[in-house]
Amino acid sequence: MSTLQRRTLANAIRALSMDAVQQANSGHPGAPMGMADIAEVLWRDYLQHNPANPHWPNRDRFVLSNGHGSMLLYSLLHLSGYPLTKEDLKQFRQLHSKTPGHPEYGYTEGVETTTGPLGQGLANAVGMALAEKTLAAQFNRPGFDVVNHFTYAFVGDGCLMEGISHEVCSLAGTQELGKLIVFYDDNGISIDGEIEGWFTDDTPTRFRSYNWQVISDVDGHDAKAIIAAIEEARRDTSRPTLVCCKTTIGFGSPNKAGSHDCHGAPLGQAEIQATRQALGWSHGPFEVPEDVSHAWNTIDKGQTLEALWKQLFESYQAKYPLLAEQFLRRIEGSLPENWGEIKKEIFEQQASVTDAAATRKCSQNILQLLGEKIPELLGGSADLAPSNLTMWKGSEAISPAHPNGNYMHYGVREFGMTAIMNGVALYGGFIPYGGTFLMFMEYARNAVRMSALMNLRVIHVYTHDSIGLGEDGPTHQPVEQITALRVTPNLQTWRPCDQFETTVAWLTAIERDEGPSAFILSRQNLPQQKRDSLQQQDIAKGGYILKACSGVPDLILIATGSEIALAMDSAVNLEQKGYEVQVVSMPCAERFAQQPKSYQEKVLPKDNRSRVAIECGHSDYWYKFVGIDGAVIGIDRFGESAPAGELMTMFGFTQEKVVETSIRIIQQNTH
């Protein structure tokens, strides 16, 4: 194909992008216009995908990490034959459209991930490449490469300035993710203007130090140079590849190309007309001539590719029926058929536990049972496995020499770990979980938010949950972090008090395929609480009556995690003083809020105003449960460095404080 023909095909992307941004009067035309030539070569010549079935398991994954250039991706999807119409393009950035301002997972077929905050798309791509390599190692057999494809990502300067790019690209090189190919749009422009004033890194040298193959100084507007770079990238499957493409932002615009003026604003009607003339694109807004549309449509090619793969998989099924069955189940995200039996067995084993234990140890106990039954669990920790207890006896570390493991040592990379887990979950075939200290969740919070935004089954394991960790001091002692997690939409946060509540948290999180879960676990030992069968069932509702009283309660104590034992002991103390006390355990307040009002009323009767909540965390969250007539024993300041027992006394987590507060509230509400 001639350069002129390719340029015409790329100009279809440029025209659709500038037209959609102009119609919306909002958006970023520069990146789509600058990367159109790279996209044309990649999508038409190399990308293994089927627009008629965007969920084909062996498709290549494509991630637009510089997601503000979303019209590049929407144009590609439309032109390739995905169910994205011209009318959808005209609704760019409009309410409830399939073409939101940034690519949003679940809105548009063919969009593999939500790429909003810069750098996280790149991290997701690393997760996808990791998942591909691991799944291939687990399921491929000689002559049957049923998992065999590439992951491609486009990134801009902003993605590489973000610190997460260092975390994930360093790890990608260490893991030798050779089927990850990243195209760097080196156009020298960001919103503030020419980046030479704030970004002068030697990017090729940086990536070579990560153990990446780097292909430098590629003319991003020369199809032959792009083809040569992709061929070279695909040949080296022992290292990920960075293709550094020199491009002109807003390519084709006579007056705005190469300037930040076209980065994040419409070109304007006059400039669009001038650009059409400069590109030789004589067609009207959103018009693509039939011959160009035909050349772009890849449905037939995609269906052929998928059909060939299906033939291979049918032979694989005949020779390895059990493997094939497990592969399909995992890709679909279904749990084993005997999941109900697995749950019952685990419940029965855990119900008889009597020894006190830290809930981080309780979590490891459950992992030991689950890991043997749920092979899709892909664990990990940000360098704290001995403290988080995220490894079980069957954990096998993933490495270049052993890619078929089930555990990732992420190193001290909390943000990178979390965003990579999102990519693994998006890829399919795995349920990722990863651990760190609760305080270090702060490094990862934006990726936690993205797992919730995309409804991903990701499990975040956070230990060292409070001032109870003691001497490490206020830099390591969480105060506001649990609240930050609880107020994140679609995230369910569990703070269990013992082995059985931890069991329910794990089983519920694994079943939950519409969003992530977070576990808040203790370092200190906690006693096991006694429950009947109904109480055991009610744990999954998020809040339940752990200790009932014989009559109408004078007081309701609400607590979570390590403070449950304090609430139970305080209730005994208060009963000795003649008060009727009900104790409510609230391991997951978000799930409790989803229960029918009748159940909520049963646990927290409206006519009982005497309530005291107890938690080693910020107090504000609990006022919606105790009301203006109740009280909260919490922490609204930073901690101190001291032994845990001394800190608990200093901050009022004692029977004396609970009893004193409770009596005051009872008396206040009965006079």
Side-chain angles (χ1 to χ4, degrees):
M1 180 178 292
S2 71
T3 302
L4 180 61
Q5 287 174 309
R6 285 192 178 276
R7 179 58 50 78
T8 299
L9 295 173
N11 286 344
I13 298 172
R14 294 185 171 101
L16 290 173
S17 297
M18 65 184 183
D19 288 343
V21 171
Q22 186 64 40
Q23 176 142 323
N25 195 30
S26 173
H28 301 73
M33 297 172 72
M35 298 194 78
D37 296 304
I38 307 168
E40 184 273 324
V41 171
L42 177 63
W43 275 63
R44 293 188 62 258
D45 292 10
Y46 292 97
L47 197 69
Q48 177 177 285
H49 65 126
N50 181 9
N53 180 14
H55 306 289
W56 169 35
N58 201 46
R59 68 191 182 278
D60 287 337
R61 300 319 197 256
F62 175 81
V63 174
L64 182 69
S65 187
N66 44 345
H68 54 271
S70 57
M71 268 310 304
L72 172 64
L73 180 52
Y74 299 147
S75 299
L76 289 165
L77 294 172
H78 169 71
L79 291 166
S80 297
Y82 286 81
L84 194 68
T85 66
K86 184 188 298 185
E87 291 304 312
D88 291 323
L89 299 185
K90 290 180 179 180
Q91 292 299 308
F92 179 55
R93 288 189 165 227
Q94 305 308 300
L95 183 64
H96 302 315
S97 77
K98 292 183 179 180
T99 49
H102 288 73
E104 302 283 351
Y105 177 70
Y107 283 61
T108 316
E109 293 281 22
V111 171
E112 299 283 4
T113 182
T114 298
T115 48
L118 290 176
Q120 288 201 58
L122 173 58
N124 296 161
V126 171
M128 293 173 187
L130 172 66
E132 189 272 343
K133 186 173 183 177
T134 304
L135 200 69
Q138 291 179 358
F139 284 96
N140 288 355
R141 294 296 181 268
F144 295 97
D145 289 341
V146 294
V147 181
N148 181 24
H149 65 83
F150 286 86
T151 298
Y152 299 98
F154 282 4
V155 304
D157 295 296
C159 296
L160 299 187
M161 283 187 247
E162 291 286 358
I164 191 174
S165 69
H166 164 69
E167 295 184 27
V168 301
C169 293
S170 168
L171 189 62
T174 299
Q175 287 293 334
E176 299 179 6
L177 301 181
K179 295 172 83 173
L180 171 65
I181 300 176
V182 176
F183 296 84
Y184 167 32
D185 181 26
D186 184 9
N187 61 34
I189 297 293
S190 66
I191 291 178
D192 280 358
E194 296 181 7
I195 62 170
E196 60 186 15
W198 49 87
F199 186 53
T200 57
D201 298 14
D202 185 344
T203 298
T205 298
R206 170 188 164 191
F207 274 78
R208 288 189 182 103
S209 77
Y210 294 153
N211 189 39
W212 283 55
Q213 174 185 211
V214 177
I215 305 172
S216 302
D217 298 318
V218 176
D219 183 345
H221 303 299
D222 182 344
K224 290 183 179 179
I226 298 164
I227 290 170
I230 295 175
E231 290 290 341
E232 185 178 352
R234 287 163 60 97
R235 280 194 296 271
D236 188 344
T237 56
S238 64
R239 296 178 296 171
T241 298
L242 181 72
V243 183
C244 299
C245 299
K246 290 288 184 182
T247 66
T248 300
I249 191 171
F251 182 94
S253 171
N255 300 302
K256 296 186 177 183
S259 164
H260 69 100
D261 290 340
C262 65
H263 181 281
L267 296 181
Q269 291 291 1
E271 187 66 13
I272 286 178
Q273 195 58 38
T275 303
R276 276 188 157 78
Q277 191 170 6
L279 293 173
W281 188 265
S282 59
H283 316 289
F286 297 100
E287 288 183 11
V288 178
E290 187 174 342
D291 60 333
V292 174
S293 292
H294 179 75
W296 260 109
N297 193 292
T298 55
I299 291 178
D300 289 344
K301 178 182 175 182
Q303 289 179 324
T304 299
L305 287 169
E306 183 175 359
L308 290 171
W309 179 82
K310 284 182 175 178
Q311 289 178 9
L312 175 68
F313 192 78
E314 286 172 2
S315 299
Y316 178 79
Q317 280 180 306
K319 190 165 185 178
Y320 304 103
L322 295 180
L323 274 177
E325 181 182 359
Q326 186 185 133
F327 175 83
L328 291 175
R329 176 188 69 76
R330 285 174 56 173
I331 286 295
E332 291 168 358
S334 302
L335 295 174
E337 286 187 7
N338 65 336
W339 173 243
E341 297 172 14
I342 294 171
K343 282 181 63 176
K344 182 179 178 182
E345 178 184 343
I346 291 175
F347 273 136
E348 290 174 351
Q349 289 177 322
Q350 303 311 302
S352 60
V353 174
T354 57
D355 293 339
T359 49
R360 62 173 177 170
K361 179 59 179 175
C362 297
S363 173
Q364 187 182 49
N365 294 340
I366 302 305
L367 273 172
Q368 185 62 46
L369 300 173
L370 288 171
E372 298 169 354
K373 308 288 187 181
I374 312 295
E376 55 264 45
L377 280 176
L378 184 64
S381 182
D383 198 51
L384 294 169
S387 292
N388 296 145
L389 303 185
T390 46
M391 297 187 78
W392 54 286
K393 291 178 182 177
S395 292
E396 296 182 9
I398 295 170
S399 69
H402 186 67
N404 62 331
N406 59 9
Y407 192 88
M408 270 295 297
H409 290 288
Y410 288 100
V412 187
R413 300 180 178 98
E414 296 86 4
F415 192 5
M417 173 185 72
T418 308
I420 286 172
M421 288 198 298
N422 289 345
V424 169
L426 287 160
Y427 183 89
F430 296 99
I431 300 175
Y433 71 89
T436 187
F437 290 174
L438 176 56
M439 177 54 68
F440 302 155
M441 176 279 297
E442 292 289 356
Y443 285 131
R445 187 187 297 197
N446 202 285
V448 176
R449 183 177 188 270
M450 296 302 287
S451 67
L453 181 65
M454 290 189 279
N455 308 312
L456 302 180
R457 180 159 48 184
V458 175
I459 300 173
H460 307 286
V461 180
Y462 300 124
T463 66
H464 296 60
D465 64 341
S466 68
I467 59 171
L469 67 93
E471 290 86 348
D472 277 336
T475 60
H476 283 54
Q477 294 166 359
V479 174
E480 73 277 22
Q481 283 65 38
I482 304 178
T483 297
L485 291 169
R486 285 186 178 132
V487 298
T488 301
N490 197 40
L491 174 66
Q492 292 189 352
T493 303
W494 289 84
R495 189 169 185 245
C497 73
D498 63 3
Q499 183 72 52
F500 205 84
E501 285 193 357
T502 307
T503 300
V504 174
W506 263 107
L507 297 177
T508 303
I510 285 175
E511 288 180 335
R512 186 174 190 245
D513 60 3
E514 72 276 11
S517 303
F519 303 155
I520 314 300
L521 306 175
S522 73
R523 185 178 73 168
Q524 66 271 34
N525 287 343
L526 306 178
Q528 307 297 333
Q529 301 297 328
K530 295 181 179 179
R531 301 175 186 85
D532 60 29
S533 59
L534 181 60
Q535 288 172 314
Q536 292 175 0
Q537 295 174 22
D538 283 347
I539 294 172
K541 296 175 182 176
Y544 65 103
I545 300 172
L546 178 61
K547 179 192 174 302
C549 51
S550 56
V552 176
D554 298 306
L555 175 77
I556 298 176
L557 292 176
I558 308 168
T560 73
S562 53
E563 287 71 71
I564 282 292
L566 174 59
M568 293 292 280
D569 291 342
S570 298
V572 172
N573 191 321
L574 286 162
E575 286 178 337
Q576 291 173 351
K577 298 180 185 299
Y579 298 103
E580 294 281 355
V581 181
Q582 176 173 296
V583 177
V584 171
S585 178
M586 191 79 74
C588 186
E590 301 92 317
R591 288 185 71 88
F592 180 72
Q594 294 173 350
Q595 302 309 312
K597 294 297 181 183
S598 57
Y599 178 78
Q600 295 185 45
E601 170 72 14
K602 173 187 171 184
V603 175
L604 297 174
K606 288 181 181 179
D607 57 1
N608 190 305
R609 297 180 298 147
S610 297
R611 304 176 185 179
V612 175
I614 314 166
E615 185 176 67
C616 276
H618 204 282
S619 62
D620 279 4
Y621 182 83
W622 290 102
Y623 283 101
K624 66 180 181 179
F625 292 105
V626 302
I628 60 174
D629 296 318
V632 179
I633 298 174
I635 300 177
D636 297 329
R637 52 154 288 186
F638 297 122
E640 296 284 350
S641 177
E646 293 180 24
L647 291 175
M648 290 297 182
T649 299
M650 172 185 170
F651 286 101
F653 291 94
T654 63
Q655 278 196 55
E656 292 77 12
K657 177 65 177 292
V658 174
V659 169
E660 174 192 338
T661 303
S662 299
I663 292 174
R664 174 174 59 82
I665 290 299
I666 294 170
Q667 293 176 346
Q668 171 185 299
N669 291 321
T670 54
H671 291 91

